[in-house]
Amino acid sequence: KENDYKEYISDMPWLCTPFESQLSKKMATKYKAGGIPHLVVVDGLKDGKIITMNGTSEVGSDADGANFPWRPKTMSEIWPDQILASKEAAG
């Protein structure tokens, strides 16, 4: 099992926890990891809050990191200004 794990993670572009480590088990529970790979991006500079639980897919679709740290879009980024402005005027 351990050799399979080491072979599997050898191609990962990020650091991985050691096989069967207690830290790995604790983090898997905290971040609801159902399998590997499972990459969670947290804000290590501010408060440690989760930025995205989908780090694996974010890295896969943005390998160069152009959109890093992959924060969720704000409402103003999702909805055009005209729609937000018309909703405010109507309210």
mmCIF file of all heavy atoms in Angstrom, residues 27-82:
data_model
loop_
_atom_site.group_PDB
_atom_site.id
_atom_site.type_symbol
_atom_site.label_atom_id
_atom_site.label_comp_id
_atom_site.label_asym_id
_atom_site.label_seq_id
_atom_site.Cartn_x
_atom_site.Cartn_y
_atom_site.Cartn_z
ATOM 1 N N MET A 27 -6.543 15.976 8.907
ATOM 2 C CA MET A 27 -6.928 16.917 7.859
ATOM 3 C C MET A 27 -8.009 16.324 6.957
ATOM 4 O O MET A 27 -8.916 17.026 6.516
ATOM 5 C CB MET A 27 -5.703 17.337 7.040
ATOM 6 C CG MET A 27 -4.803 18.252 7.831
ATOM 7 S SD MET A 27 -3.306 18.897 7.025
ATOM 8 C CE MET A 27 -3.309 18.320 5.394
ATOM 9 N N ALA A 28 -7.932 15.023 6.675
ATOM 10 C CA ALA A 28 -8.952 14.368 5.846
ATOM 11 C C ALA A 28 -10.322 14.481 6.507
ATOM 12 O O ALA A 28 -11.325 14.723 5.829
ATOM 13 C CB ALA A 28 -8.583 12.909 5.618
ATOM 14 N N THR A 29 -10.366 14.346 7.811
ATOM 15 C CA THR A 29 -11.630 14.488 8.537
ATOM 16 C C THR A 29 -12.086 15.944 8.519
ATOM 17 O O THR A 29 -13.240 16.234 8.198
ATOM 18 C CB THR A 29 -11.471 14.007 9.999
ATOM 19 O OG1 THR A 29 -11.092 12.628 9.975
ATOM 20 C CG2 THR A 29 -12.757 14.178 10.770
ATOM 21 N N LYS A 30 -11.188 16.859 8.835
ATOM 22 C CA LYS A 30 -11.543 18.277 8.895
ATOM 23 C C LYS A 30 -12.049 18.797 7.553
ATOM 24 O O LYS A 30 -13.018 19.555 7.490
ATOM 25 C CB LYS A 30 -10.328 19.100 9.344
ATOM 26 C CG LYS A 30 -10.591 20.585 9.416
ATOM 27 C CD LYS A 30 -9.406 21.347 9.959
ATOM 28 C CE LYS A 30 -9.738 22.827 10.061
ATOM 29 N NZ LYS A 30 -8.699 23.570 10.761
ATOM 30 N N TYR A 31 -11.383 18.389 6.462
ATOM 31 C CA TYR A 31 -11.721 18.920 5.145
ATOM 32 C C TYR A 31 -12.560 17.955 4.297
ATOM 33 O O TYR A 31 -12.704 18.143 3.104
ATOM 34 C CB TYR A 31 -10.448 19.332 4.399
ATOM 35 C CG TYR A 31 -9.722 20.453 5.100
ATOM 36 C CD1 TYR A 31 -8.473 20.256 5.656
ATOM 37 C CD2 TYR A 31 -10.307 21.709 5.231
ATOM 38 C CE1 TYR A 31 -7.803 21.295 6.311
ATOM 39 C CE2 TYR A 31 -9.653 22.743 5.874
ATOM 40 C CZ TYR A 31 -8.402 22.522 6.410
ATOM 41 O OH TYR A 31 -7.755 23.543 7.059
ATOM 42 N N LYS A 32 -13.098 16.934 4.955
ATOM 43 C CA LYS A 32 -14.038 15.995 4.323
ATOM 44 C C LYS A 32 -13.485 15.368 3.041
ATOM 45 O O LYS A 32 -14.173 15.302 2.024
ATOM 46 C CB LYS A 32 -15.376 16.693 4.055
ATOM 47 C CG LYS A 32 -16.028 17.220 5.317
ATOM 48 C CD LYS A 32 -17.250 18.058 4.986
ATOM 49 C CE LYS A 32 -17.905 18.626 6.208
ATOM 50 N NZ LYS A 32 -17.219 19.679 6.873
ATOM 51 N N ALA A 33 -12.248 14.914 3.116
ATOM 52 C CA ALA A 33 -11.626 14.259 1.964
ATOM 53 C C ALA A 33 -12.182 12.852 1.811
ATOM 54 O O ALA A 33 -12.120 12.054 2.731
ATOM 55 C CB ALA A 33 -10.107 14.206 2.140
ATOM 56 N N GLY A 34 -12.725 12.574 0.640
ATOM 57 C CA GLY A 34 -13.273 11.255 0.378
ATOM 58 C C GLY A 34 -12.305 10.374 -0.386
ATOM 59 O O GLY A 34 -12.586 9.208 -0.627
ATOM 60 N N GLY A 35 -11.188 10.906 -0.797
ATOM 61 C CA GLY A 35 -10.207 10.143 -1.556
ATOM 62 C C GLY A 35 -9.037 11.018 -1.916
ATOM 63 O O GLY A 35 -8.935 12.149 -1.450
ATOM 64 N N ILE A 36 -8.139 10.474 -2.707
ATOM 65 C CA ILE A 36 -6.992 11.248 -3.141
ATOM 66 C C ILE A 36 -7.017 11.333 -4.660
ATOM 67 O O ILE A 36 -7.481 10.395 -5.311
ATOM 68 C CB ILE A 36 -5.662 10.667 -2.632
ATOM 69 C CG1 ILE A 36 -5.486 9.218 -3.058
ATOM 70 C CG2 ILE A 36 -5.539 10.801 -1.147
ATOM 71 C CD1 ILE A 36 -4.135 8.632 -2.740
ATOM 72 N N PRO A 37 -6.576 12.413 -5.240
ATOM 73 C CA PRO A 37 -6.105 13.613 -4.546
ATOM 74 C C PRO A 37 -7.268 14.459 -4.036
ATOM 75 O O PRO A 37 -8.374 14.416 -4.570
ATOM 76 C CB PRO A 37 -5.344 14.371 -5.631
ATOM 77 C CG PRO A 37 -6.030 14.013 -6.902
ATOM 78 C CD PRO A 37 -6.485 12.579 -6.708
ATOM 79 N N HIS A 38 -7.011 15.185 -2.985
ATOM 80 C CA HIS A 38 -7.977 16.124 -2.418
ATOM 81 C C HIS A 38 -7.172 17.337 -1.953
ATOM 82 O O HIS A 38 -6.410 17.244 -1.005
ATOM 83 C CB HIS A 38 -8.718 15.502 -1.237
ATOM 84 C CG HIS A 38 -9.806 16.371 -0.699
ATOM 85 N ND1 HIS A 38 -11.073 16.357 -1.220
ATOM 86 C CD2 HIS A 38 -9.814 17.289 0.296
ATOM 87 C CE1 HIS A 38 -11.828 17.220 -0.560
ATOM 88 N NE2 HIS A 38 -11.078 17.805 0.356
ATOM 89 N N LEU A 39 -7.315 18.434 -2.650
ATOM 90 C CA LEU A 39 -6.546 19.641 -2.351
ATOM 91 C C LEU A 39 -7.493 20.739 -1.905
ATOM 92 O O LEU A 39 -8.410 21.121 -2.624
ATOM 93 C CB LEU A 39 -5.764 20.093 -3.585
ATOM 94 C CG LEU A 39 -4.954 21.382 -3.460
ATOM 95 C CD1 LEU A 39 -3.850 21.219 -2.417
ATOM 96 C CD2 LEU A 39 -4.363 21.773 -4.801
ATOM 97 N N VAL A 40 -7.268 21.223 -0.693
ATOM 98 C CA VAL A 40 -8.038 22.327 -0.139
ATOM 99 C C VAL A 40 -7.101 23.524 -0.053
ATOM 100 O O VAL A 40 -5.982 23.403 0.448
ATOM 101 C CB VAL A 40 -8.581 21.984 1.267
ATOM 102 C CG1 VAL A 40 -9.317 23.156 1.874
ATOM 103 C CG2 VAL A 40 -9.481 20.758 1.204
ATOM 104 N N VAL A 41 -7.544 24.672 -0.549
ATOM 105 C CA VAL A 41 -6.733 25.889 -0.483
ATOM 106 C C VAL A 41 -7.269 26.728 0.668
ATOM 107 O O VAL A 41 -8.456 27.045 0.711
ATOM 108 C CB VAL A 41 -6.805 26.674 -1.814
ATOM 109 C CG1 VAL A 41 -5.967 27.944 -1.730
ATOM 110 C CG2 VAL A 41 -6.338 25.807 -2.977
ATOM 111 N N VAL A 42 -6.383 27.046 1.612
ATOM 112 C CA VAL A 42 -6.769 27.863 2.759
ATOM 113 C C VAL A 42 -5.969 29.151 2.757
ATOM 114 O O VAL A 42 -4.883 29.228 2.192
ATOM 115 C CB VAL A 42 -6.571 27.118 4.104
ATOM 116 C CG1 VAL A 42 -7.466 25.901 4.197
ATOM 117 C CG2 VAL A 42 -5.129 26.708 4.306
ATOM 118 N N ASP A 43 -6.519 30.167 3.394
ATOM 119 C CA ASP A 43 -5.855 31.461 3.484
ATOM 120 C C ASP A 43 -4.886 31.419 4.662
ATOM 121 O O ASP A 43 -5.277 31.634 5.800
ATOM 122 C CB ASP A 43 -6.892 32.572 3.660
ATOM 123 C CG ASP A 43 -6.284 33.950 3.526
ATOM 124 O OD1 ASP A 43 -5.060 34.088 3.731
ATOM 125 O OD2 ASP A 43 -7.024 34.890 3.206
ATOM 126 N N GLY A 44 -3.645 31.137 4.373
ATOM 127 C CA GLY A 44 -2.632 31.028 5.416
ATOM 128 C C GLY A 44 -2.101 32.364 5.889
ATOM 129 O O GLY A 44 -1.433 32.437 6.913
ATOM 130 N N LEU A 45 -2.379 33.428 5.171
ATOM 131 C CA LEU A 45 -1.881 34.749 5.555
ATOM 132 C C LEU A 45 -2.834 35.480 6.491
ATOM 133 O O LEU A 45 -2.421 36.352 7.231
ATOM 134 C CB LEU A 45 -1.626 35.604 4.310
ATOM 135 C CG LEU A 45 -0.532 35.085 3.385
ATOM 136 C CD1 LEU A 45 -0.422 35.974 2.155
ATOM 137 C CD2 LEU A 45 0.798 35.014 4.103
ATOM 138 N N LYS A 46 -4.121 35.152 6.400
ATOM 139 C CA LYS A 46 -5.100 35.873 7.208
ATOM 140 C C LYS A 46 -5.595 35.016 8.358
ATOM 141 O O LYS A 46 -5.042 35.015 9.433
ATOM 142 C CB LYS A 46 -6.273 36.343 6.348
ATOM 143 C CG LYS A 46 -5.923 37.470 5.406
ATOM 144 C CD LYS A 46 -7.149 37.976 4.716
ATOM 145 C CE LYS A 46 -6.813 39.136 3.778
ATOM 146 N NZ LYS A 46 -7.993 39.649 3.120
ATOM 147 N N ASP A 47 -6.625 34.240 8.087
ATOM 148 C CA ASP A 47 -7.322 33.566 9.167
ATOM 149 C C ASP A 47 -7.439 32.059 9.011
ATOM 150 O O ASP A 47 -8.077 31.408 9.822
ATOM 151 C CB ASP A 47 -8.726 34.166 9.301
ATOM 152 C CG ASP A 47 -9.452 34.230 7.973
ATOM 153 O OD1 ASP A 47 -9.051 33.523 7.034
ATOM 154 O OD2 ASP A 47 -10.419 34.994 7.863
ATOM 155 N N GLY A 48 -6.847 31.498 7.984
ATOM 156 C CA GLY A 48 -6.914 30.058 7.778
ATOM 157 C C GLY A 48 -8.245 29.566 7.248
ATOM 158 O O GLY A 48 -8.480 28.364 7.199
ATOM 159 N N LYS A 49 -9.108 30.488 6.823
ATOM 160 C CA LYS A 49 -10.398 30.078 6.279
ATOM 161 C C LYS A 49 -10.211 29.415 4.919
ATOM 162 O O LYS A 49 -9.273 29.705 4.190
ATOM 163 C CB LYS A 49 -11.342 31.269 6.142
ATOM 164 C CG LYS A 49 -11.865 31.753 7.465
ATOM 165 C CD LYS A 49 -12.949 32.785 7.282
ATOM 166 C CE LYS A 49 -13.465 33.215 8.648
ATOM 167 N NZ LYS A 49 -14.463 34.263 8.552
ATOM 168 N N ILE A 50 -11.151 28.545 4.594
ATOM 169 C CA ILE A 50 -11.109 27.829 3.329
ATOM 170 C C ILE A 50 -11.407 28.788 2.179
ATOM 171 O O ILE A 50 -12.396 29.510 2.211
ATOM 172 C CB ILE A 50 -12.129 26.677 3.336
ATOM 173 C CG1 ILE A 50 -11.750 25.638 4.393
ATOM 174 C CG2 ILE A 50 -12.229 26.034 1.955
ATOM 175 C CD1 ILE A 50 -12.809 24.597 4.649
ATOM 176 N N ILE A 51 -10.537 28.779 1.183
ATOM 177 C CA ILE A 51 -10.760 29.541 -0.043
ATOM 178 C C ILE A 51 -11.543 28.669 -1.021
ATOM 179 O O ILE A 51 -12.518 29.097 -1.602
ATOM 180 C CB ILE A 51 -9.433 30.011 -0.658
ATOM 181 C CG1 ILE A 51 -8.784 31.043 0.267
ATOM 182 C CG2 ILE A 51 -9.653 30.596 -2.049
ATOM 183 C CD1 ILE A 51 -7.387 31.463 -0.148
ATOM 184 N N THR A 52 -11.075 27.427 -1.208
ATOM 185 C CA THR A 52 -11.805 26.487 -2.063
ATOM 186 C C THR A 52 -11.549 25.059 -1.598
ATOM 187 O O THR A 52 -10.438 24.723 -1.203
ATOM 188 C CB THR A 52 -11.445 26.629 -3.558
ATOM 189 O OG1 THR A 52 -12.235 25.691 -4.311
ATOM 190 C CG2 THR A 52 -9.991 26.387 -3.842
ATOM 191 N N MET A 53 -12.604 24.265 -1.648
ATOM 192 C CA MET A 53 -12.489 22.832 -1.370
ATOM 193 C C MET A 53 -12.161 22.078 -2.658
ATOM 194 O O MET A 53 -11.907 20.894 -2.621
ATOM 195 C CB MET A 53 -13.815 22.298 -0.797
ATOM 196 C CG MET A 53 -14.180 22.837 0.560
ATOM 197 S SD MET A 53 -13.196 22.141 1.887
ATOM 198 C CE MET A 53 -13.899 20.504 1.992
ATOM 199 N N ASN A 54 -12.170 22.773 -3.780
ATOM 200 C CA ASN A 54 -11.967 22.149 -5.084
ATOM 201 C C ASN A 54 -10.603 22.467 -5.670
ATOM 202 O O ASN A 54 -10.484 22.700 -6.878
ATOM 203 C CB ASN A 54 -13.075 22.599 -6.051
ATOM 204 C CG ASN A 54 -14.437 22.209 -5.555
ATOM 205 O OD1 ASN A 54 -14.642 21.087 -5.105
ATOM 206 N ND2 ASN A 54 -15.382 23.130 -5.607
ATOM 207 N N GLY A 55 -9.594 22.482 -4.843
ATOM 208 C CA GLY A 55 -8.253 22.825 -5.313
ATOM 209 C C GLY A 55 -7.738 21.911 -6.405
ATOM 210 O O GLY A 55 -7.034 22.349 -7.316
ATOM 211 N N THR A 56 -8.105 20.637 -6.345
ATOM 212 C CA THR A 56 -7.641 19.685 -7.351
ATOM 213 C C THR A 56 -8.127 20.087 -8.733
ATOM 214 O O THR A 56 -7.345 20.144 -9.687
ATOM 215 C CB THR A 56 -8.125 18.264 -7.015
ATOM 216 O OG1 THR A 56 -7.742 17.947 -5.674
ATOM 217 C CG2 THR A 56 -7.506 17.243 -7.945
ATOM 218 N N SER A 57 -9.413 20.388 -8.858
ATOM 219 C CA SER A 57 -9.940 20.775 -10.169
ATOM 220 C C SER A 57 -9.449 22.160 -10.578
ATOM 221 O O SER A 57 -9.227 22.425 -11.762
ATOM 222 C CB SER A 57 -11.467 20.713 -10.202
ATOM 223 O OG SER A 57 -12.027 21.607 -9.276
ATOM 224 N N GLU A 58 -9.240 23.054 -9.594
ATOM 225 C CA GLU A 58 -8.719 24.389 -9.906
ATOM 226 C C GLU A 58 -7.315 24.297 -10.490
ATOM 227 O O GLU A 58 -7.002 24.967 -11.473
ATOM 228 C CB GLU A 58 -8.718 25.273 -8.660
ATOM 229 C CG GLU A 58 -10.082 25.549 -8.071
ATOM 230 C CD GLU A 58 -10.948 26.485 -8.905
ATOM 231 O OE1 GLU A 58 -10.503 26.974 -9.960
ATOM 232 O OE2 GLU A 58 -12.088 26.710 -8.488
ATOM 233 N N VAL A 59 -6.474 23.470 -9.901
ATOM 234 C CA VAL A 59 -5.116 23.294 -10.424
ATOM 235 C C VAL A 59 -5.176 22.676 -11.816
ATOM 236 O O VAL A 59 -4.453 23.093 -12.723
ATOM 237 C CB VAL A 59 -4.259 22.407 -9.484
ATOM 238 C CG1 VAL A 59 -2.960 21.976 -10.152
ATOM 239 C CG2 VAL A 59 -3.960 23.139 -8.192
ATOM 240 N N GLY A 60 -6.072 21.714 -11.986
ATOM 241 C CA GLY A 60 -6.195 21.053 -13.283
ATOM 242 C C GLY A 60 -6.635 21.987 -14.394
ATOM 243 O O GLY A 60 -6.176 21.873 -15.530
ATOM 244 N N SER A 61 -7.515 22.928 -14.061
ATOM 245 C CA SER A 61 -8.018 23.835 -15.094
ATOM 246 C C SER A 61 -7.218 25.141 -15.189
ATOM 247 O O SER A 61 -7.437 25.927 -16.102
ATOM 248 C CB SER A 61 -9.502 24.152 -14.845
ATOM 249 O OG SER A 61 -9.657 24.838 -13.625
ATOM 250 N N ASP A 62 -6.316 25.370 -14.248
ATOM 251 C CA ASP A 62 -5.518 26.603 -14.231
ATOM 252 C C ASP A 62 -4.089 26.264 -13.795
ATOM 253 O O ASP A 62 -3.610 26.753 -12.777
ATOM 254 C CB ASP A 62 -6.163 27.620 -13.281
ATOM 255 C CG ASP A 62 -5.456 28.961 -13.264
ATOM 256 O OD1 ASP A 62 -4.770 29.301 -14.245
ATOM 257 O OD2 ASP A 62 -5.590 29.679 -12.254
ATOM 258 N N ALA A 63 -3.453 25.400 -14.560
ATOM 259 C CA ALA A 63 -2.131 24.886 -14.188
ATOM 260 C C ALA A 63 -1.079 25.972 -14.020
ATOM 261 O O ALA A 63 -0.139 25.818 -13.243
ATOM 262 C CB ALA A 63 -1.661 23.855 -15.211
ATOM 263 N N ASP A 64 -1.231 27.096 -14.726
ATOM 264 C CA ASP A 64 -0.263 28.188 -14.605
ATOM 265 C C ASP A 64 -0.543 29.082 -13.398
ATOM 266 O O ASP A 64 0.255 29.964 -13.087
ATOM 267 C CB ASP A 64 -0.256 29.044 -15.870
ATOM 268 C CG ASP A 64 0.265 28.281 -17.080
ATOM 269 O OD1 ASP A 64 1.096 27.355 -16.892
ATOM 270 O OD2 ASP A 64 -0.152 28.595 -18.200
ATOM 271 N N GLY A 65 -1.690 28.888 -12.747
ATOM 272 C CA GLY A 65 -2.027 29.675 -11.562
ATOM 273 C C GLY A 65 -2.457 31.097 -11.865
ATOM 274 O O GLY A 65 -2.377 31.965 -10.995
ATOM 275 N N ALA A 66 -2.941 31.350 -13.062
ATOM 276 C CA ALA A 66 -3.346 32.710 -13.446
ATOM 277 C C ALA A 66 -4.462 33.245 -12.559
ATOM 278 O O ALA A 66 -4.526 34.442 -12.301
ATOM 279 C CB ALA A 66 -3.794 32.724 -14.907
ATOM 280 N N ASN A 67 -5.331 32.377 -12.069
ATOM 281 C CA ASN A 67 -6.450 32.808 -11.217
ATOM 282 C C ASN A 67 -6.233 32.494 -9.745
ATOM 283 O O ASN A 67 -7.156 32.620 -8.945
ATOM 284 C CB ASN A 67 -7.750 32.141 -11.696
ATOM 285 C CG ASN A 67 -8.094 32.544 -13.099
ATOM 286 O OD1 ASN A 67 -8.028 33.717 -13.451
ATOM 287 N ND2 ASN A 67 -8.431 31.579 -13.926
ATOM 288 N N PHE A 68 -5.025 32.041 -9.393
ATOM 289 C CA PHE A 68 -4.712 31.704 -8.001
ATOM 290 C C PHE A 68 -4.958 32.908 -7.109
ATOM 291 O O PHE A 68 -4.644 34.021 -7.517
ATOM 292 C CB PHE A 68 -3.252 31.251 -7.891
ATOM 293 C CG PHE A 68 -2.847 30.863 -6.506
ATOM 294 C CD1 PHE A 68 -3.191 29.627 -6.007
ATOM 295 C CD2 PHE A 68 -2.153 31.744 -5.700
ATOM 296 C CE1 PHE A 68 -2.832 29.271 -4.709
ATOM 297 C CE2 PHE A 68 -1.793 31.398 -4.415
ATOM 298 C CZ PHE A 68 -2.133 30.152 -3.921
ATOM 299 N N PRO A 69 -5.553 32.777 -5.965
ATOM 300 C CA PRO A 69 -5.824 31.560 -5.203
ATOM 301 C C PRO A 69 -7.219 30.976 -5.401
ATOM 302 O O PRO A 69 -7.709 30.250 -4.548
ATOM 303 C CB PRO A 69 -5.630 32.003 -3.771
ATOM 304 C CG PRO A 69 -6.123 33.409 -3.751
ATOM 305 C CD PRO A 69 -5.754 33.962 -5.122
ATOM 306 N N TRP A 70 -7.863 31.257 -6.500
ATOM 307 C CA TRP A 70 -9.138 30.645 -6.851
ATOM 308 C C TRP A 70 -10.243 30.942 -5.843
ATOM 309 O O TRP A 70 -11.018 30.085 -5.457
ATOM 310 C CB TRP A 70 -8.999 29.139 -7.072
ATOM 311 C CG TRP A 70 -7.896 28.800 -8.020
ATOM 312 C CD1 TRP A 70 -7.825 29.152 -9.337
ATOM 313 C CD2 TRP A 70 -6.703 28.076 -7.738
ATOM 314 N NE1 TRP A 70 -6.660 28.679 -9.886
ATOM 315 C CE2 TRP A 70 -5.949 28.016 -8.925
ATOM 316 C CE3 TRP A 70 -6.194 27.470 -6.585
ATOM 317 C CZ2 TRP A 70 -4.728 27.377 -9.003
ATOM 318 C CZ3 TRP A 70 -4.980 26.833 -6.664
ATOM 319 C CH2 TRP A 70 -4.256 26.794 -7.861
ATOM 320 N N ARG A 71 -10.311 32.187 -5.413
ATOM 321 C CA ARG A 71 -11.396 32.594 -4.507
ATOM 322 C C ARG A 71 -12.723 32.568 -5.263
ATOM 323 O O ARG A 71 -12.762 32.850 -6.458
ATOM 324 C CB ARG A 71 -11.160 34.009 -3.980
ATOM 325 C CG ARG A 71 -9.952 34.121 -3.089
ATOM 326 C CD ARG A 71 -9.826 35.529 -2.504
ATOM 327 N NE ARG A 71 -8.579 35.667 -1.792
ATOM 328 C CZ ARG A 71 -8.366 35.223 -0.567
ATOM 329 N NH1 ARG A 71 -9.317 34.606 0.078
ATOM 330 N NH2 ARG A 71 -7.194 35.390 0.014
ATOM 331 N N PRO A 72 -13.814 32.266 -4.566
ATOM 332 C CA PRO A 72 -15.125 32.332 -5.222
ATOM 333 C C PRO A 72 -15.383 33.751 -5.722
ATOM 334 O O PRO A 72 -14.960 34.732 -5.110
ATOM 335 C CB PRO A 72 -16.108 31.972 -4.110
ATOM 336 C CG PRO A 72 -15.292 31.280 -3.075
ATOM 337 C CD PRO A 72 -13.900 31.841 -3.181
ATOM 338 N N LYS A 73 -16.085 33.853 -6.839
ATOM 339 C CA LYS A 73 -16.393 35.169 -7.386
ATOM 340 C C LYS A 73 -17.426 35.878 -6.513
ATOM 341 O O LYS A 73 -18.299 35.250 -5.935
ATOM 342 C CB LYS A 73 -16.925 35.037 -8.810
ATOM 343 C CG LYS A 73 -15.867 34.562 -9.775
ATOM 344 C CD LYS A 73 -16.378 34.517 -11.177
ATOM 345 C CE LYS A 73 -15.221 34.088 -12.083
ATOM 346 N NZ LYS A 73 -15.584 34.134 -13.477
ATOM 347 N N THR A 74 -17.290 37.191 -6.445
ATOM 348 C CA THR A 74 -18.264 38.002 -5.718
ATOM 349 C C THR A 74 -19.511 38.167 -6.584
ATOM 350 O O THR A 74 -19.477 37.915 -7.792
ATOM 351 C CB THR A 74 -17.697 39.394 -5.393
ATOM 352 O OG1 THR A 74 -17.445 40.071 -6.631
ATOM 353 C CG2 THR A 74 -16.410 39.303 -4.581
ATOM 354 N N MET A 75 -20.597 38.624 -5.990
ATOM 355 C CA MET A 75 -21.826 38.836 -6.748
ATOM 356 C C MET A 75 -21.605 39.851 -7.877
ATOM 357 O O MET A 75 -22.135 39.694 -8.966
ATOM 358 C CB MET A 75 -22.961 39.305 -5.833
ATOM 359 C CG MET A 75 -23.499 38.209 -4.953
ATOM 360 S SD MET A 75 -24.144 36.799 -5.875
ATOM 361 C CE MET A 75 -25.624 37.493 -6.553
ATOM 362 N N SER A 76 -20.816 40.875 -7.618
ATOM 363 C CA SER A 76 -20.584 41.879 -8.658
ATOM 364 C C SER A 76 -19.754 41.319 -9.812
ATOM 365 O O SER A 76 -19.832 41.820 -10.924
ATOM 366 C CB SER A 76 -19.915 43.121 -8.077
ATOM 367 O OG SER A 76 -18.660 42.807 -7.529
ATOM 368 N N GLU A 77 -18.966 40.266 -9.569
ATOM 369 C CA GLU A 77 -18.224 39.622 -10.645
ATOM 370 C C GLU A 77 -19.124 38.673 -11.447
ATOM 371 O O GLU A 77 -18.920 38.482 -12.637
ATOM 372 C CB GLU A 77 -17.047 38.830 -10.087
ATOM 373 C CG GLU A 77 -15.950 39.703 -9.520
ATOM 374 C CD GLU A 77 -14.881 38.897 -8.810
ATOM 375 O OE1 GLU A 77 -15.206 37.978 -8.040
ATOM 376 O OE2 GLU A 77 -13.698 39.208 -9.035
ATOM 377 N N ILE A 78 -20.106 38.098 -10.783
ATOM 378 C CA ILE A 78 -21.016 37.149 -11.440
ATOM 379 C C ILE A 78 -22.077 37.877 -12.243
ATOM 380 O O ILE A 78 -22.369 37.529 -13.380
ATOM 381 C CB ILE A 78 -21.673 36.225 -10.396
ATOM 382 C CG1 ILE A 78 -20.606 35.350 -9.725
ATOM 383 C CG2 ILE A 78 -22.757 35.360 -11.037
ATOM 384 C CD1 ILE A 78 -21.105 34.581 -8.529
ATOM 385 N N TRP A 79 -22.687 38.896 -11.633
ATOM 386 C CA TRP A 79 -23.780 39.636 -12.272
ATOM 387 C C TRP A 79 -23.263 40.935 -12.841
ATOM 388 O O TRP A 79 -22.562 41.678 -12.160
ATOM 389 C CB TRP A 79 -24.874 39.951 -11.246
ATOM 390 C CG TRP A 79 -25.577 38.734 -10.786
ATOM 391 C CD1 TRP A 79 -25.287 37.986 -9.694
ATOM 392 C CD2 TRP A 79 -26.693 38.104 -11.402
ATOM 393 N NE1 TRP A 79 -26.138 36.938 -9.587
ATOM 394 C CE2 TRP A 79 -27.021 36.977 -10.629
ATOM 395 C CE3 TRP A 79 -27.441 38.377 -12.540
ATOM 396 C CZ2 TRP A 79 -28.074 36.137 -10.955
ATOM 397 C CZ3 TRP A 79 -28.487 37.537 -12.862
ATOM 398 C CH2 TRP A 79 -28.790 36.431 -12.076
ATOM 399 N N PRO A 80 -23.633 41.263 -14.062
ATOM 400 C CA PRO A 80 -23.214 42.545 -14.640
ATOM 401 C C PRO A 80 -23.752 43.725 -13.823
ATOM 402 O O PRO A 80 -24.794 43.616 -13.176
ATOM 403 C CB PRO A 80 -23.841 42.520 -16.036
ATOM 404 C CG PRO A 80 -24.150 41.087 -16.310
ATOM 405 C CD PRO A 80 -24.390 40.443 -14.975
ATOM 406 N N ASP A 81 -23.040 44.835 -13.865
ATOM 407 C CA ASP A 81 -23.433 46.037 -13.119
ATOM 408 C C ASP A 81 -24.859 46.471 -13.423
ATOM 409 O O ASP A 81 -25.574 46.923 -12.539
ATOM 410 C CB ASP A 81 -22.476 47.200 -13.432
ATOM 411 C CG ASP A 81 -21.093 46.972 -12.858
ATOM 412 O OD1 ASP A 81 -20.966 46.164 -11.916
ATOM 413 O OD2 ASP A 81 -20.147 47.595 -13.357
ATOM 414 N N GLN A 82 -25.284 46.326 -14.671
ATOM 415 C CA GLN A 82 -26.623 46.767 -15.051
ATOM 416 C C GLN A 82 -27.695 45.986 -14.291
ATOM 417 O O GLN A 82 -28.689 46.540 -13.862
ATOM 418 C CB GLN A 82 -26.880 46.592 -16.553
ATOM 419 C CG GLN A 82 -25.841 47.176 -17.464
ATOM 420 C CD GLN A 82 -24.716 46.184 -17.769
ATOM 421 O OE1 GLN A 82 -24.040 45.687 -16.886
ATOM 422 N NE2 GLN A 82 -24.499 45.919 -19.033
#
